[in-house]
Amino acid sequence: MSGDQSLPGEGPVPEKADEAAFWETPDIYGAYPRLTEDQTARLAQHGQRRNMAPGDVLIREGERCETFFVVLSGTVAVVEDYGTSEEHVLRVHGPGRFIGELGLLYGQVAFYTAVAREPGEVLVVSLDQLRHLVSQDSSIGDTVLRACLCRRALLVGQGAGFRIIGSRYSPDTRRLREFAVRNRLPHRWIDLETDKEAEELLRRFGVGPAETPLVIWRDTTLLRNPSNAELARLIGLPSLPAGNRHGDVLIVGSGPAGLAAAVYAASEGLSTTVVEAMATGGQAGTSSRIENLLGFPSGVSGAELTERAVLQADKFGARISLPLEATGLHPKDDDHYVVTFADGSEIAARAVVLAMGARYRRLQVPGIERLEGTSVHYSATVYEAQQCRTDPVAVVGGGNSAGQAVLFLAGYAPKVHLLVRGAGLEANMSRYLVDQVERHPRVEVMLHTEVTEVIGEEVLEELDVVDNRTGEHRRLAVRSLFVFTGADPHTEWLVGIALDSRGFVLTGPEAQEACASPEVWHGRGRSCMALEASLPGVFAVGDVRSGSVKRVASAAGEGAMAIHFVHRHLGHSAVPGTTGTSAVAGHSDASPRIRHKESAWLA
């Protein structure tokens, strides 16, 4: 690996792995912190010391991460393509540093190999003990989690991990790339049309262009046009265990509302399952920085907020599975609901929380479809931003998501054009964002402006935009377009649930009024509760709910509130073996069935 391939701020990387023995990667963005003596001592109470010799493999690429290593003496190299002709060093860590990134906390497979380069000693901590410490010890937890998030971002930006080979014009290539990006999976896309490496790889594996897209992992595993679920299994994303598919609460969607519901439900002893069609975090997970969330005065990225919430839900025993796309919801005779999924599976639960959020609207203009996923994006993450270092970009939208994207991209691109069809930013954007956007020297706000055409064959070259007051057209030379133009709910699968005119789920009195069978409430001796949909025991929270406030804090609050109403609903449900004290109409705040907490995180 030549020196000009190193990450910004790292300095030159040695040509060969064995030349890295006495070189240590400088800390970048807090990705490679050195643990204090006190932190190491606390970790040592839960681990064991182990000697290491040069060449000892601590973590192997493609295998599940099961152990946390702290370097006590000597050095450890983090290597990609270990043992092959393409082997190269990504990082080198010395005493006081730990080995691992985000996959370590979830038991995913490793995207690299960690190998000892000098004789020394490491501290070995089990994954269960690490998770317990991360959740209970704020000093260790903040240090490890922040570093793991930064390391994952750097791996994504470097193009480490698996490779996707496919055409930029292929819908399946775009699908795989979107799934990888949204789940923050390190990978590299090799364009079938323009990348010379694509032809060599196809020849090596004996595969024709018609069989693409392909996913190649470690040059030993090849998947032909895999489904999102197949890719998830390859990487080790969480899935539901086989066996009993019944529980107290099923939460559909894992944005802030769904994750908050999962944390409160599981922490209060309810058997809780979360299913997600695409990626944890929802739209919030793609936000570069959220600055108006209570408790985060310096802001927090959507990715960090998501990972913290996922860890918290998992700590209390909530089960999270993805990708599982819900296709139907049906009541059962025994006061349960059954949710069916696209893969043919189903889950039964006594209460269902709908937290699917909403999906960004596609921009419908000539020329845009062929560039979606390559030059046209519907999120602004590190992955996309890494491609915008030298060329101007444009952002379409006037809400908070657009404002956050603009400020994030302005840290990479030399120029960011914000295209807003309205007369100002104040109508839909928070004041603090308006001030920052208008003051930023690399941002140009263009009001009364709409995109009429996207121009470019293989990559975006220009946008044709029009002033909607005068009709005057002009061309903008940009290389990437980011679209944040509102969102539509994903509710077409909800048969029998009352929706408003835009497809959002009605709740409370409006839902009861629109209910096809009003007598269902009379039979229960109560009215429809505030977040309850038109089916008793089905609740809607966050962006999918009609009339919701489209903010992270309110979504999380609704998720937590929904569990209070779930308890009240379960108090009405007749459960064999329960006493009558839990079934007092409308007044039970305790679930009639409390399960034992199963998480290994809980002492």
Side-chain angles (χ1 to χ4, degrees):
M1 186 178 195
S2 60
D4 60 0
Q5 291 175 293
S6 59
L7 287 175
E10 282 196 358
V13 174
E15 292 285 345
K16 299 179 181 178
D18 57 6
E19 294 177 7
F22 299 96
W23 174 85
E24 186 180 52
T25 306
D27 190 14
I28 303 173
Y29 314 126
Y32 314 124
R34 206 176 303 280
L35 298 174
T36 66
E37 291 184 4
D38 182 57
Q39 288 173 327
T40 303
R42 295 203 300 278
L43 283 164
Q45 295 175 4
H46 303 275
Q48 296 179 335
R49 292 174 176 265
R50 179 192 299 176
N51 291 327
M52 63 179 182
D56 284 352
V57 173
L58 307 181
I59 297 173
R60 191 176 297 276
E61 185 175 350
E63 296 181 0
R64 287 187 181 275
C65 304
E66 297 179 345
T67 310
F68 181 67
F69 295 96
V70 179
V71 181
L72 300 177
S73 62
T75 55
V76 174
V78 174
V79 181
E80 190 177 22
D81 297 320
Y82 179 69
T84 72
S85 60
E86 298 179 356
E87 175 181 332
H88 57 278
V89 174
L90 297 174
R91 328 267 186 257
V92 177
H93 299 302
R97 290 195 177 174
F98 64 87
I99 311 301
E101 54 92 41
L102 198 59
L104 178 75
L105 299 175
Y106 298 138
Q108 294 178 8
V109 298
F111 293 94
Y112 52 79
T113 296
V115 58
R117 290 305 185 190
E118 291 181 286
E121 190 178 32
V122 291
L123 177 65
V124 182
V125 181
S126 72
L127 188 56
D128 282 343
Q129 288 290 353
L130 174 65
R131 286 172 166 173
H132 179 75
L133 286 167
V134 166
S135 65
Q136 301 296 327
D137 188 318
S138 61
S139 172
I140 292 176
D142 287 349
T143 300
V144 171
L145 183 57
R146 184 68 57 89
C148 285
L149 285 165
C150 289
R151 293 178 186 189
R152 173 57 64 92
L154 290 171
L155 281 174
V156 169
Q158 270 194 316
F162 59 90
R163 287 170 284 186
I164 298 173
I165 303 176
S167 168
R168 65 181 58 211
Y169 306 112
S170 163
D172 282 317
T173 299
R174 289 200 296 268
R175 169 182 57 80
L176 289 169
R177 293 187 64 213
E178 181 182 10
F179 183 77
V181 169
R182 290 286 304 276
N183 284 286
R184 301 168 288 279
L185 300 177
H187 71 285
R188 180 158 58 94
W189 171 51
I190 300 173
D191 190 353
L192 194 62
E193 269 75 35
T194 62
D195 200 317
K196 294 180 180 178
E197 185 182 357
E199 183 178 351
E200 190 275 329
L201 285 169
L202 293 182
R203 189 166 50 248
R204 184 195 307 177
F205 285 93
V207 177
E211 297 178 79
T212 60
L214 306 175
V215 170
I216 297 177
W217 176 243
R218 296 181 296 144
D219 281 344
T220 60
T221 302
L222 182 145
L223 301 179
R224 290 175 170 84
N225 192 16
S227 66
N228 289 353
E230 289 172 323
L231 179 56
R233 285 195 296 269
L234 177 70
I235 303 305
L237 294 182
S239 60
L240 289 178
N244 185 19
R245 294 293 181 90
H246 289 73
D248 293 325
V249 185
L250 174 64
I251 301 167
V252 184
S254 64
L259 290 174
V263 168
Y264 281 90
S267 67
E268 294 172 11
L270 296 176
S271 174
T272 305
T273 300
V274 183
V275 294
E276 169 59 55
M278 176 58 73
T280 55
Q283 291 185 41
T286 67
S287 297
S288 55
R289 183 150 297 274
I290 305 166
E291 294 189 72
N292 60 346
L293 183 60
L294 184 67
F296 295 90
S298 59
V300 62
S301 72
E304 182 173 353
L305 182 67
T306 297
E307 303 305 347
R308 287 179 179 272
V310 169
L311 287 169
Q312 198 171 14
D314 188 62
K315 177 184 76 170
F316 290 117
R319 296 172 296 180
I320 300 177
S321 178
L322 62 90
L324 269 182
E325 182 177 2
T327 56
L329 185 155
H330 313 284
K332 289 181 65 178
D333 294 336
D334 59 353
D335 240 352
H336 281 64
Y337 288 97
V338 172
V339 175
T340 56
F341 301 96
D343 65 357
S345 63
E346 61 181 37
I347 299 175
R350 302 166 65 209
V352 176
V353 177
L354 303 174
M356 298 89 67
R359 296 176 177 177
Y360 282 117
R361 298 190 188 109
R362 265 13 190 204
L363 191 62
Q364 303 295 325
V365 295
I368 195 170
E369 185 174 348
R370 65 176 176 270
L371 298 180
E372 288 182 325
T374 56
S375 301
V376 177
H377 310 284
Y378 293 88
S379 64
T381 67
V382 172
Y383 175 80
E384 292 90 8
Q386 291 281 358
Q387 305 175 48
C388 303
R389 291 188 177 277
T390 59
D391 300 303
V393 302
V395 176
V396 177
N400 278 5
S401 296
Q404 291 162 352
V406 163
L407 294 173
F408 176 64
L409 294 168
Y412 292 83
K415 183 78 172 181
V416 180
H417 302 275
L418 176 58
L419 312 182
V420 183
R421 66 181 179 180
L425 297 177
E426 294 81 1
N428 298 300
M429 191 179 296
S430 297
R431 184 71 246 176
Y432 80 95
L433 279 175
V434 173
D435 293 340
Q436 293 182 50
V437 167
E438 291 180 340
R439 289 199 306 261
H440 203 291
R442 289 195 292 277
V443 175
E444 179 186 2
V445 179
M446 301 174 63
L447 303 176
H448 299 287
T449 303
E450 299 182 44
V451 177
T452 58
E453 186 179 2
V454 174
I455 301 164
E457 290 298 322
E458 296 183 348
V459 296
L460 178 60
E461 298 173 3
E462 289 183 313
L463 295 177
D464 187 275
V465 300
V466 63
D467 187 314
N468 56 28
R469 297 167 300 178
T470 65
E472 179 184 357
H473 285 256
R474 60 176 289 194
R475 294 288 180 92
L476 288 180
V478 297
R479 293 296 176 266
S480 294
L481 174 65
F482 296 83
V483 181
F484 301 92
T485 55
D488 295 315
H490 175 44
T491 55
E492 61 274 7
W493 60 280
L494 291 174
V495 178
I497 297 286
L499 309 176
D500 68 12
S501 59
R502 299 171 57 204
F504 292 88
V505 179
L506 293 171
T507 56
E510 291 181 320
Q512 183 168 348
E513 184 177 345
C515 183
S517 304
E519 63 274 7
V520 70
W521 304 106
H522 301 306
R524 292 176 176 268
R526 65 176 178 87
S527 298
C528 183
M529 291 181 280
L531 298 177
E532 198 167 20
S534 56
L535 289 178
V538 177
F539 302 85
V541 294
D543 287 1
V544 77
R545 188 178 69 82
S546 178
S548 67
V549 178
K550 304 300 187 283
R551 293 290 186 269
V552 172
S554 61
E558 288 187 9
M561 288 172 59
I563 302 307
H564 169 75
F565 295 127
V566 165
H567 281 301
R568 293 183 60 185
H569 168 73
L570 295 181
H572 288 83
S573 301
V575 181
T578 61
T579 64
T581 56
S582 63
V584 179
H587 297 289
S588 175
D589 287 333
S591 169
R593 181 173 63 192
I594 301 296
R595 68 177 178 85
H596 176 68
K597 294 182 176 65
E598 300 170 351
S599 175
W601 290 32
L602 300 178

